[in-house]
Amino acid sequence: MKALVVRKEGDEKPVAAVEEIGIDDLPAGEVTVDVEYSTVNYKDGLCIGPGGGLVRKYPHVPGIDFAGTVSASDDDRYKPGDKVVLTGWRVGEAYWGGYAEKARVKADWLVPLPEGLSTKQAMAVGTAGFTSMLAVMALEDHGLVPGQGPVLVTGAAGGVGSVATAILAAKGYEVAGVTGRPETADYLKSLGATQIVAREDVAETVNRPLESETWSGCVDAVGGAMLARVLGQMNYGASVAAVGLAGGAGLPATVIPFLLRGVNLLGIDSVMQPYDNRVRAWGEIAAHLPMDKLEAMVNPATLSDLPQLGRDILKGQVKGRVVVDVRA
């Protein structure tokens, strides 16, 4: 079977190439899946290329997401023919992932594919979309409802931001998308954004810890100075769901928005998310993510495209969602 294998010798840089491997090369696990589709995330770019401290040993098969059909199972929860999806659990980082025609994993890491969602659509969603839905769920669990004012999405043209924009718009929210790429404005409007915010308008901290109340909620994929600035612009009692750190891991903020406006900062983790919450999120995705909008985000790819895509995503040059047909 075909797989993208990353090899590293000594202090040399890792090299990724499509190779033929045998099923006996796969790691131990209770369930073997015929992988149909995978995708490309920032972590995949690290694992294909420099490693980023994520890869424990080589040779390595990256791919933190995959969807496919069970071909063999030693666990009663899954049987051959079942459609499944996997995101997180450090698969594709510490463990071999989905950039191969077959994967063998622990049964606990899998989730049944919800009705109405194909394996291709599931990978158009992927970790990025799954994280987006977790963020929207967290905001709504903390009181966000349509009609309270615009919801801000930072990094809106990226994978997480694109899906968050589409989900929020489909659920009836007014969405303001932040982007540093003016050429993506039409794309964001096609996903449902009603307002485009230039990155420079919210990219730097200001001396004032509070500004005018502007946003009823926020899905933040940037972090850093932008998150600090946005915290001071939130409505009273509003929440920010933090999902990324494209702008840096630091947070040059004060506690004033939390103390004087009751703002909530909600951390969103998709990697170790409990099973029941995963099932809930995938069910919400199947119910609320408009599939026509999802199709508009998709860029198709094959295993042989991955070395270049890995470099591109690390440079911020990938728009929307890449869906990798591992069988092509």
Side-chain angles (χ1 to χ4, degrees), residues 23 27 57 71 106 111 125 128-129 165 219 236-237 243-244 262 272 275 278 280 312-313 315 323:
I23 193 159
K57 60 181 181 179
S71 60
K106 293 183 179 180
V111 174
V125 175
T165 298
V219 177
Y236 186 90
V243 301
M272 307 304 289
Y275 176 81
R278 288 176 182 272
R280 177 190 169 199
D312 290 346
I313 200 165
K315 296 175 184 176
V323 175

Side-chain angles (χ1 to χ4, degrees), residues 1-308:
M1 60 182 173
K2 290 185 301 181
L4 183 81
V5 181
V6 184
R7 297 186 181 274
K8 185 176 186 296
E9 299 295 336
D11 295 331
E12 295 180 6
K13 292 182 178 180
V15 177
V18 179
E19 300 181 11
E20 291 284 336
I21 65 172
I23 193 159
D24 291 339
D25 294 321
L26 296 177
E30 297 97 9
V31 183
T32 303
V33 179
D34 289 335
V35 179
E36 296 165 18
Y37 296 97
S38 186
T39 183
V40 180
N41 301 279
Y42 191 85
K43 282 184 178 179
D44 293 315
L46 291 173
C47 294
I48 292 168
L54 301 176
V55 181
R56 291 179 174 176
K57 60 181 181 179
Y58 295 90
H60 180 66
V61 175
I64 70 170
D65 300 340
F66 66 78
T69 305
V70 173
S71 60
S73 176
D74 296 327
D75 189 284
D76 291 341
R77 287 171 288 180
Y78 298 100
K79 63 183 184 300
D82 287 348
K83 298 288 186 180
V84 291
V85 59
L86 184 146
T87 61
W89 300 113
R90 301 212 63 204
V91 171
E93 305 170 39
Y95 310 100
W96 279 23
Y99 291 164
E101 291 182 289
K102 287 183 181 288
R104 188 183 291 135
V105 295
K106 293 183 179 180
D108 288 342
W109 296 343
L110 296 169
V111 174
L113 192 69
E115 289 290 330
L117 205 62
S118 70
T119 53
K120 184 177 181 180
Q121 289 169 331
M123 285 299 96
V125 175
T127 283
F130 176 64
T131 304
S132 300
M133 182 54 80
L134 291 174
V136 173
M137 285 163 46
L139 292 175
E140 292 185 330
D141 288 346
H142 283 78
L144 181 67
V145 294
Q148 296 174 331
V151 179
L152 191 70
V153 178
T154 68
V160 175
S162 293
V163 182
T165 298
I167 290 171
L168 287 164
K171 289 171 76 73
Y173 292 96
E174 182 184 349
V175 183
V178 179
T179 181
R181 295 177 281 173
E183 67 275 13
T184 63
D186 289 343
Y187 166 71
L188 292 174
K189 289 177 181 177
S190 75
L191 298 180
T194 54
Q195 180 181 350
I196 306 299
V197 179
R199 180 192 295 160
E200 56 266 27
D201 290 346
V202 286
E204 296 181 1
T205 54
V206 292
N207 291 328
R208 303 182 306 279
L210 292 177
E211 299 181 74
S212 298
E213 296 181 40
T214 306
W215 317 115
S216 64
C218 174
V219 177
D220 174 59
V222 176
M226 187 178 294
L227 173 55
R229 180 78 180 273
V230 167
L231 286 169
Q233 299 177 347
M234 302 305 296
N235 292 351
Y236 186 90
S239 300
V240 177
V243 301
L245 41 63
L251 185 58
T254 76
V255 298
I256 299 301
F258 309 117
L259 302 181
L260 297 188
R261 284 200 185 145
V263 172
N264 305 297
L265 181 57
L266 311 175
I268 307 299
D269 166 65
S270 65
V271 177
M272 307 304 289
Q273 195 69 211
Y275 176 81
D276 288 348
N277 225 28
R278 288 176 182 272
V279 172
R280 177 190 169 199
W282 280 106
E284 288 283 303
I285 287 165
H288 295 292
L289 179 59
M291 292 305 155
D292 59 331
K293 299 290 195 299
L294 188 65
E295 277 296 319
M297 302 177 205
V298 169
N299 298 298
T302 65
L303 288 178
S304 61
D305 297 322
L306 288 171
Q308 183 60 51

